[in-house]
Every structure is written in structure tokens, then in C-alpha cells.
Amino acid sequence: MNRFVLGLRPGGVLKRHRFLLVSVLVLSCKLVLVWSGFSETAIIQDDAYYYFTIARNIALGAGPTFDGVAPTNGFHPLWLLFLVPLFWMAPTSMWSPIRVALSLNVLFDALSGLLLFRLLDRWVDRRAAWLGALIWLCAPTNAAMAFFGMEGSLVALLLLAFLQVNLDRQWMQRAPKQHAAATGFLWGMCGLARTDQILLCACVLIAVVLRLPARWGQRLRRLVLVGSTAAIVLTPWFAWNQRTFGTLEQVSGRIKRHSSVLWGALPHDGSSPNAAIKTAVTRLFAPVVVVLRSLSVDYEMKARWTPWLLALWLVPGSWLAALGARRLQARGATDLLSVGVVYILAHVVVYGVVLGFYAPWYAAPVSALSAMFVGAGVTSGFRSVRGNRLLVTLLPLLGVQIGLVLINVQAQPHHRRGAEYRWRAQFDHALELFPKGLRIGLFDAGAAGYVAGWYPLITVVNLDGMVNNAAVAAIDAGRYPEYLIEHVDLFLQSPRRLRMFLDDEEFERCMRILELRQVPTPLPSHDGEVQNSSPPVERLK
């Protein structure tokens, strides 16, 4: 009883752990959204259903496969490892494992908020810690990523843990070998969460090592120990890839070399000044532009108000981030400043310049670091302006984010379990036409493939290769038309989309082969994405 009373006194337990209580409150609100079915309407990304389908197949004993036929490595292993036990415990439930998975994501976000709070509290001050962590936890553009069902929240948590350990100079001096091993372990775990984090965290690691007050020999030995530990963590994953597929590369990355128009491709148009500016802005500010675009009904960013929207976000946001960087430098937090800047720059170069692909959940770790800079920037003149800077700069940003989320939610069809609503009617109709079963070809196959798991007579084949190693191998061998004939009975999307990764000659050959075997059905024709209305069915064979 005395301990409880002491905890209520000024300076007691509750005062020291107020942010923990706030985190629990935010976590509880997000869990209510998860278990209310809010994210099941249209927020969960189609790619997340790739994860769910593969995890369910593993839990059922079929191995890492999307279509139940051929193995695939089109996933990042750590997030999949979290998912498999969920489907093993509830293999017949369509939505309970997904809700638990989303609950894990919001939990990861809450833990990331605590790590961000600790970093800013240590390197800047308590006020910056509160604001930066709350921006990460509560800003809609950040919070929405937890509901996508992808690995972004896990990546952000592991990156912040990696930075927390990597920057702990006291531990490094007290027990250098143990510190190096812990750093290497977290580096490897980041790489298992997203493969590209191997390179991005390597840039951060080098930036830290270069700043160490040690001889080059000591720095080199530290790098070797850290790298060796990370290699031990990563080796089983890459060894399995090499043994199973003859390559270390994931098929989801490999297919992007065949196409510059897959979903997530960044613009590369320099045909006019306006197009060149749009390309440059999108590639340099992809973590902001793509996330705003994903939450906006104007996904292609063609509306006249779009540039003003971006300016309203980018100009004050960049200004506050610059203020935060200057404050970190003034407070002597040069280690934290350098790793934050290095990571964000490396992130932009890898995705915006080299790969040219970006999806909204890629932005999770950058959003966490940006919250750190903005939190420090807003509070840099907090006392001198009596809070006006907070009202003038931060609240409009939050207002834009909240408005975009509301617009996006209002524009979506309000049906719980949207994937199931969309696909069960399609499959029931298809089985009426083909009662003996069929194999359906789809480019955006994630949600359809997951729902098809409850239809034993239906197999969904992923056509764009994101989780289909056999299809990409057929593209490489120049046998893609033959692959379609052997493995697909019906198209539920126009096969003309094959042009996105086949050259003109191969595309024409493919269409000639398919035209010889197509039989139209009574379903209405619609050339493009599968909508809530019935799409075209094009039969092969």
C-alpha cells in the first residue's frame, strides 16, 4: 500500500512512467480499431495477404508457397516467422490470425515509441522526447502503416533498437565484445525483417565506427566481429535461398528488374520540365510523397491541389527537421545526428535513385527518425515563442494527415472484411461455371489467394511474379506463354497487363498463343483491376 501511495506522489512511479501510461492508452485505442474490423475494409495491403497465405500454408504443412504448388522466397522471413504460429493455432479462422498480426504491429509501434522516447530523452531533453515519440505514435500517416499488415512496424522497432545499442558508448567501453555481438545480432535481425536493411544498417554502422576515438586496427576488429555475428544470423536464410532456388535474391526483388511499371514503381519521366520536377520530388521525398499518395484518393497526384498539399507537408516539415538537426548538434548529440542523417540519405539513394521502387510501408523507419528530428526541432524554440511554433507548424501537418485519412476512409467501400466480400462472390460464380475446379491467374493476387484457401477446388496463381519463382524463371527462359498454358485456366484480369514485363515481341507471341485458347463467358467485360463488380473471365485451354 505504501508503495502505491508513493507512486502517486510528485516524482513517484506514475510521474516517472507517464509516457508508458500514454503509450498503453494509444496502444489500447489502436487495438480497438484492429478488433473492430476497421482495417479489414480496404486498409490491409494486398501484399500483406501474400504473407498471410504463405504463413497459413506453412502452418498447414505445405511449406513456403503461395499457390500450394511451388515454393517461393517472395517474403521477408522474420515477419513471416511471427505469422506462422498465429495460423498454426487457428488454421480454420480467416480473420482471427490477421487481427492478432495487426495487434503485433501496433505493439511494435508502441515499443518503438518507447525507444524513441529514450533516445531523445538521453540526447536532447524530456520535452523533445515527449513530442517526438507522440508524433510517431499518433500522427495518422505513421499510425496507418501498422494497419497495412506488412513488416514496416517490425523494421522500425529493430532499427531503433539497433541505434540504441550501437550508440551506447558506455557498454562499448565496458564490454566491447559483448556490445559488438549485440550490435551484429540486431543488424542481422534488421536484415531478416527487410533484406535491404543489411545495406542501410551497414551505412549506419560505418558512420558510428568512423566516429570512434580508436585506432584503425581496433575499428576494423570491431567491424569484423559485428559483421561475423550478423552473418551467423543471416546465413540460414540465404543458404535456404541458394539451395532451393539457386540464387540469394528474393523473387520479389528479382521481378522488378523486368518491369518499371509494377505497383510501387517511382516515376522516371524527363520528357518535360514538369515531369522532370515531379520525378525528382517523388524520388527525393518518396517517404513522404508515397505515404501521402497512398492515403489520398488522388493516387496518381494529378489534381491541381496536390502540389499545394505536398508543399504544406514538405516545407514546414523540412524546416522543423533542419531545426532539430541543428539542435542535436548544439546539444552534442552528434552521434545520433550522424546516424539519423546517414540512414535517411542511404534510404533515399537506395530506393529513390537505385531501385526506383517504393511502397508506403517502406517509410516506417524513416518516419520514426523524422519524428525524432521534428520533435527536437519544434521544441528548440518552445520557451522563446511560448508555444506558437508548435501551433503554427505542427498542427497544420497533423491536420493534413488527419484529413487525408478521413478522405481515404470515406472513399473506400464500407464493407467489413473487404477482401472476403470482394472475392467470395467471384469464386462462387466461377465454380458454377467450372464445378470441377480451376486455376485462376491474377496479377494482384494477394487477397484473392488468401480467400481461395477456403475453396479447395480453386488455386490462385500469381502472374506478376512477386511470390511466384516459377513464373519469373519462365520469363527468364523465354517460356512465359507456355507457363501460362500449363498453369492457368482462367484470367480474372486482362492478360494485356503482361506487357509490363514482356518485350513487344514476346508479348505478341504470348497473345497469339492465348487467343487460340480463349473462350468468352457470360461475365461482363472490364479491362483492368478487379473491382467489386464482376470482372472479365478469360478462359484458357
Side-chain angles (χ1 to χ4, degrees):
M1 183 66 181
N2 289 336
R3 292 180 181 178
F4 177 75
V5 173
L6 287 174
L8 297 178
R9 293 178 179 175
V13 175
L14 290 183
K15 183 176 181 179
R16 294 200 305 270
H17 298 287
R18 281 182 296 182
F19 184 76
L20 178 60
L21 297 177
V22 171
S23 299
V24 171
L25 177 61
V26 174
L27 173 64
S28 301
C29 293
K30 292 181 180 180
L31 288 177
V32 169
L33 290 177
V34 168
W35 289 92
S36 69
F38 164 75
S39 55
E40 295 161 18
T41 57
I43 296 178
I44 300 174
Q45 297 292 303
D46 191 69
D47 285 17
Y49 290 105
Y50 288 143
Y51 271 113
F52 301 149
T53 305
I54 296 169
R56 184 171 184 268
N57 285 332
I58 294 175
L60 293 175
T65 174
F66 174 75
D67 54 20
V69 178
T72 183
N73 64 349
F75 55 85
H76 299 288
L78 193 56
W79 180 228
L80 189 72
L81 289 176
F82 277 100
L83 296 176
V84 171
L86 309 182
F87 288 92
W88 179 78
M89 290 185 290
T92 61
S93 174
M94 184 176 290
W95 295 103
S96 293
I98 291 178
R99 291 182 176 185
V100 177
L102 298 181
S103 300
L104 284 177
N105 269 345
V106 298
L107 175 61
F108 293 154
D109 281 354
L111 295 175
S112 296
L114 293 174
L115 287 177
L116 192 59
F117 185 90
R118 288 191 61 186
L119 282 170
L120 286 170
D121 190 31
R122 174 187 174 188
W123 293 94
V124 186
D125 59 25
R126 182 62 56 88
R127 189 180 293 110
W130 268 96
L131 188 56
L134 286 177
I135 291 173
W136 162 251
L137 290 175
C138 300
T141 48
N142 298 337
M145 285 185 277
F147 300 104
F148 290 164
M150 296 299 291
E151 72 282 341
S153 296
L154 178 60
V155 175
L157 173 62
L158 289 172
L159 173 67
L160 290 173
F162 175 73
L163 297 183
Q164 182 88 16
V165 171
N166 209 0
L167 296 176
D168 193 337
R169 293 286 184 91
Q170 293 182 354
W171 186 10
M172 188 187 304
Q173 295 173 358
R174 185 175 65 254
K177 292 184 180 180
Q178 291 84 343
H179 181 268
T183 303
F185 174 77
L186 287 171
W187 183 15
M189 295 298 284
C190 287
L192 293 178
R194 271 203 69 85
T195 308
D196 42 52
Q197 297 299 309
I198 299 173
L199 175 59
L200 298 178
C201 290
C203 295
V204 170
L205 182 64
I206 292 172
V208 172
V209 169
L210 289 177
R211 294 181 55 82
L212 292 178
R215 298 178 180 178
W216 280 104
Q218 294 174 316
R219 296 175 180 177
L220 183 60
R221 285 194 296 272
R222 172 172 172 76
L223 281 175
V224 170
L225 182 55
V226 172
S228 300
T229 307
I232 293 172
V233 175
L234 293 167
T235 294
W237 164 244
F238 287 113
W240 177 77
N241 280 299
Q242 183 64 41
R243 184 177 65 253
T244 306
F245 305 103
T247 178
L248 301 178
E249 187 178 15
Q250 292 158 271
V251 69
S252 51
R254 187 176 170 192
I255 188 60
K256 292 172 183 176
R257 296 205 306 268
H258 292 277
S259 174
S260 60
V261 294
L262 283 170
W263 188 85
L266 297 175
H268 54 279
D269 185 5
S271 59
S272 67
N274 287 338
I277 292 173
K278 179 180 178 181
T279 296
V281 170
T282 303
R283 286 178 173 255
L284 289 176
F285 297 98
V288 174
V289 175
V290 173
V291 173
L292 290 177
R293 194 172 67 180
S294 70
L295 295 176
S296 172
V297 293
D298 181 30
Y299 184 81
E300 298 297 329
M301 292 292 183
K302 294 181 179 179
R304 292 182 178 180
W305 51 265
T306 298
W308 297 102
L309 169 66
L310 290 176
L312 184 60
W313 212 106
L314 289 174
V315 173
S318 301
W319 175 59
L320 288 173
L323 286 177
R326 188 176 68 178
R327 189 176 186 205
L328 287 173
Q329 185 177 20
R331 296 292 297 242
T334 51
D335 283 347
L336 185 59
L337 172 62
S338 62
V339 298
V341 171
V342 166
Y343 183 90
I344 293 175
L345 289 178
H347 186 96
V348 169
V349 170
V350 168
Y351 287 113
V353 179
V354 178
L355 297 179
F357 279 86
Y358 209 86
W361 52 89
Y362 294 3
V366 174
S367 296
L369 295 177
S370 299
M372 175 184 73
F373 284 118
V374 172
V378 171
T379 57
S380 62
F382 193 88
R383 294 178 179 176
S384 61
V385 298
R386 296 182 180 180
N388 288 338
R389 177 176 295 170
L390 175 66
L391 297 175
V392 173
T393 58
L394 184 61
L395 292 185
L397 299 183
L398 295 178
V400 169
Q401 296 186 28
I402 293 171
L404 283 174
V405 172
L406 293 176
I407 290 172
N408 188 62
V409 171
Q410 188 275 333
Q412 299 293 345
H414 294 280
H415 298 285
R416 286 183 60 184
R417 304 177 178 179
E420 186 178 3
Y421 167 82
R422 207 163 47 240
W423 287 107
R424 279 196 180 274
Q426 315 278 353
F427 292 161
D428 290 339
H429 192 170
L431 285 177
E432 291 177 3
L433 299 172
F434 309 101
K436 293 183 179 180
L438 69 162
R439 294 168 297 184
I440 296 174
L442 283 166
F443 296 93
D444 309 304
Y450 183 69
V451 176
W454 280 262
Y455 286 81
L457 296 179
I458 291 180
T459 297
V460 172
V461 180
N462 171 233
L463 298 183
D464 62 20
M466 293 296 291
V467 287
N468 193 338
N469 293 64
V472 177
I475 294 173
D476 291 336
R479 295 191 67 258
Y480 195 66
E482 289 75 13
Y483 172 84
L484 294 177
I485 298 302
E486 293 170 4
H487 295 88
V488 179
D489 300 317
L490 295 171
F491 279 108
L492 282 183
Q493 290 167 317
S494 173
R496 296 187 182 280
R497 290 182 63 182
L498 296 172
R499 188 181 289 277
M500 65 182 173
F501 49 71
L502 297 179
D503 59 33
D504 292 340
E505 181 179 352
E506 189 69 7
F507 175 76
E508 294 299 331
R509 185 174 79 87
C510 184
M511 294 304 296
R512 285 195 301 270
I513 293 175
L514 298 182
E515 285 172 2
L516 296 176
R517 295 164 173 83
Q518 287 183 7
V519 179
T521 73
L523 292 182
S525 176
H526 175 75
D527 184 16
E529 302 290 339
V530 174
Q531 306 292 337
N532 288 333
S533 58
S534 297
V537 173
E538 299 181 50
R539 185 182 181 185
L540 305 184
K541 300 182 183 177

